[in-house]
Amino acid sequence: MKVLFICTGNTCRSPMAEGLLKKAHPKTEVFSRALAYHADQVSPNAVKAMEELGVDITQHQPAPLRHEDLEKADLVLTMTKSQRDLLRGVVDSDKIYGFGEFLGRSEDVVDPYGMGTMEYRKAAAQLADWTQQLAVLIEEGAWEEK
């Protein structure tokens, strides 16, 4: 099982989701990419929020999304519905979902970019909850039924 998380810059939300799912379900291959690559390191506030949850993302290197990333992944989860729509508009794929949508939720992942530590903690808490739910779905094989 290969899960690809996608966000705008691959500096906060998607690397946090990647680190959290690696911790929650170590058997799953997890990676993350950016729709709009623009930075060479993960956000310090994202690192701090993850450290508080016992997850180390200090070695994460932001990377742009490539077509081969989409081909490699079994499941592609975006942080927002608009990101999902953008990808579905250029790639014909039934494995691309908004993260919330995949879990039966209507909301997107909170975007803490450019905000303070508290906003990063909120996003981290949301992602921790959602990645735990995703880990259960993967373990049960329920993701294949989507």
Side-chain angles (χ1 to χ4, degrees):
M1 173 69 173
K2 297 175 187 83
V3 176
L4 169 59
F5 288 108
I6 298 173
C7 70
T8 306
N10 196 221
T11 61
C12 46
R13 291 176 293 178
S14 60
M16 289 194 292
E18 177 184 350
L20 287 161
L21 186 57
K22 284 179 177 177
K23 181 179 178 181
H25 202 271
K27 296 182 283 187
T28 299
E29 183 178 332
V30 187
F31 59 113
S32 63
R33 297 291 185 260
L35 285 176
Y37 175 70
H38 66 278
D40 60 357
Q41 67 181 23
V42 69
S43 163
N45 281 335
V47 170
K48 183 175 181 172
M50 289 292 92
E51 284 174 350
E52 292 172 0
L53 297 176
V55 176
D56 180 7
I57 61 169
T58 57
Q59 299 304 308
H60 177 76
Q61 292 294 307
L65 178 64
R66 300 168 311 189
H67 186 71
E68 50 268 26
D69 296 324
L70 295 170
E71 291 175 352
K72 174 182 171 184
D74 298 308
L75 177 63
V76 178
L77 297 172
T78 64
M79 298 296 114
T80 69
K81 292 179 281 299
S82 62
Q83 292 166 346
R84 174 208 61 203
D85 293 345
L86 177 69
L87 285 176
R88 285 182 179 171
V90 294
V91 178
D92 183 24
S93 178
D94 59 356
K95 61 184 175 181
I96 300 171
Y97 297 89
F99 197 177
E101 167 196 27
F102 189 77
L103 298 175
R105 298 171 175 268
S106 60
E107 68 266 24
D108 289 333
V109 176
V110 175
D111 187 359
Y113 182 74
M115 307 292 253
T117 306
M118 288 306 296
E119 292 305 315
Y120 278 83
R121 286 181 178 141
K122 287 177 188 175
Q126 181 184 29
L127 287 165
D129 178 44
W130 288 14
T131 54
Q132 286 294 325
Q133 292 176 46
L134 179 59
V136 170
L137 291 174
I138 292 169
E139 190 63 31
E140 295 174 348
W143 73 274
E144 296 171 345
E145 299 169 8
K146 295 267 181 194

